[in-house]
Amino acid sequence: MTGRAMDPLPAAAVPAAAEVEADEEADPPATGLPMPQDIEHRLSDSSRMQRPQGNPLLLSYSLQELLARDTVQVELIPEKKGLFLKHVEYEVSSQRFKSSVYRRYNDFVVFHEMLLHKFPYRMVPALPPKRMLGADREFIEGRRRALKRFINLVARHPPFSDDVILKLFLSFSGSDVQNKLKEAAQCVGDEFMNCKLAARAKDFLPADIQTQFAMSRELIRNIYNSFYKLRDRAERMASRAIDNASDLLIFGKELSALGSDTTPLPSWAALHLSTWGSLKQALKGLSVEFALLADKAAQQGKQEENDVVEKLNLFLDLLQSYKDLCERHEKGVLHKHQRALHKYGLMKRQMMSAAHGREPETVEQLESRIVEQENVIQTMELRNYFSLYCLHQETQLVHVYLPLTSHILGAFVNSQIQGHKEMSKVWNDLKPKLSCLFAGPHGTLTPPGSPQEDGVCPH
């Protein structure tokens, strides 16, 4: 056996323990679990993607079908004081499961970890950051919105939506939800171990999969950069609408304060006493209309935040999860495969040295380790192809979400039309009330017209 070249590796079962030996930081441990082809009869629903007849790699979802899978609401509930710090709880309500449960941020963290454990080759959206101290209301609201986007993306993702840990998270009302999630996720291996197609993933991949992967990654990176800029501009427009509401409200209050002024008029201005009194009365009444204008502007800003900015953020979260998945593929399974090959080369050199020194026991031990390492390399190769298989499907899912662009633009246009229409009505209602502000000849009050309307020169 000395100096033997590595035999072609059959597509047979490979113990998962050998893989863990190759890299302790490898994919979630699955010691004692059989290879995918040995557990075909245990195929979980989570590994089934809707596909056309023929190539299982191809998906046939529409955006409407994904959005219809579930709608999850995440609402803040009043703060509760713990032993040392206040903590925030959320009411999480699912239309699909007709459930309403209470969750803390740490419950989301455990759920996120279990998703990565079971689905390391899928798009798992990131969680918003945790802030220990000094969390103000704005931060808490921003995190609530981010958690809502996270859970809706997960609830609509095909493999995730059929998995037991999602149902547990959205419907289990017990106090030990974190332990339940860990038990459900860790009692079986990851998706690679439970998918009957995992060992044959290579057969379904196109020959130019690496080229396609590089092109898709570049395209989605460009889309992300453009939508990031669109989101920033949409945020600024919504913010300006809210600032405009505040300015209109203050403007109306100042008019009201001016109209409520009780400072007596000096005697030398007594001639204009009736005029000033009429002006004050009119100014005081205008605050109602300006408050209504402020309310309309604030409504438009909130609508743009909810219908435009949040949809842009949802799409950006999805695109970011794809970028993260690409990095996990390159830094994870490919890196581990290279490490396994490097370790195999070291073992071969050690065996050759031991054989040259004629140490039979050492040679036998190294031969056994080399066989194990060959199995590890085979598993890494299978995982690499399965990772590319999943990446190909996740790329398709990103493209399924692309029509969300039309939803976003539609919401933006509608908010502008509705906002301007409502404010225009208030402005038009306000205009006749200005007539008493303008005194004409002989004490008559007439609103000014433009020089073109009056037909006279301003002088």
Side-chain angles (χ1 to χ4, degrees), residues 221-267:
R221 182 187 294 115
N222 293 338
I223 293 174
Y224 177 89
N225 291 337
S226 294
F227 270 85
Y228 188 90
K229 295 175 183 177
L230 289 173
R231 191 277 314 275
D232 282 354
R233 294 299 165 178
E235 280 185 337
R236 293 179 62 179
M237 286 187 283
S239 178
R240 282 200 298 268
I242 294 173
D243 289 343
N244 185 37
S246 177
D247 291 340
L248 284 168
L249 185 62
I250 294 173
F251 192 92
K253 288 181 177 179
E254 290 301 324
L255 289 177
S256 179
L258 185 62
S260 302
D261 184 72
T262 58
T263 305
L265 200 66
S267 59

Side-chain angles (χ1 to χ4, degrees), residues 231-348:
R231 191 277 314 275
D232 282 354
R233 294 299 165 178
E235 280 185 337
R236 293 179 62 179
M237 286 187 283
S239 178
R240 282 200 298 268
I242 294 173
D243 289 343
N244 185 37
S246 177
D247 291 340
L248 284 168
L249 185 62
I250 294 173
F251 192 92
K253 288 181 177 179
E254 290 301 324
L255 289 177
S256 179
L258 185 62
S260 302
D261 184 72
T262 58
T263 305
L265 200 66
S267 59
W268 54 266
L271 179 63
H272 304 285
L273 179 61
S274 60
T275 303
W276 177 236
S278 299
L279 283 172
K280 287 202 301 180
Q281 188 65 27
L283 292 173
K284 188 175 180 179
L286 293 179
S287 62
V288 176
E289 279 72 21
F290 276 92
L292 185 57
L293 285 168
D295 182 62
K296 298 298 183 183
Q299 287 180 18
Q300 181 178 350
K302 291 296 183 183
Q303 185 176 357
E304 290 174 1
E305 281 186 348
N306 294 329
D307 296 343
V308 180
V309 176
E310 275 304 294
K311 284 185 174 68
L312 286 167
N313 279 326
L314 179 78
F315 193 46
L316 284 172
D317 289 349
L318 178 75
L319 296 176
Q320 183 61 54
S321 68
Y322 181 86
K323 293 171 63 180
D324 295 341
L325 176 62
C326 292
E327 288 189 11
R328 287 203 304 275
H329 173 75
E330 290 189 337
K331 297 180 180 179
V333 64
L334 288 180
H335 178 65
K336 293 165 189 173
H337 189 200
Q338 293 169 357
R339 289 182 61 180
L341 289 172
H342 177 69
K343 186 174 181 180
Y344 174 80
L346 291 177
M347 288 180 178
K348 292 286 288 185

Side-chain angles (χ1 to χ4, degrees), residues 370-395:
I370 285 174
V371 171
E372 292 179 356
Q373 191 64 16
E374 288 173 352
N375 290 336
V376 171
I377 292 172
Q378 179 197 359
T379 302
M380 288 291 97
E381 289 175 346
L382 292 176
R383 281 190 174 272
N384 178 45
Y385 285 121
F386 184 67
S387 178
L388 287 170
Y389 177 95
C390 294
L391 257 172
H392 198 290
Q393 291 187 330
E394 299 302 277
T395 304

Side-chain angles (χ1 to χ4, degrees), residues 63 223 227 230 312 315 401-411:
L63 177 61
I223 293 174
F227 270 85
L230 289 173
L312 286 167
F315 193 46
Y401 268 95
L402 283 175
L404 191 64
T405 306
S406 61
H407 293 229
I408 296 169
L409 290 175

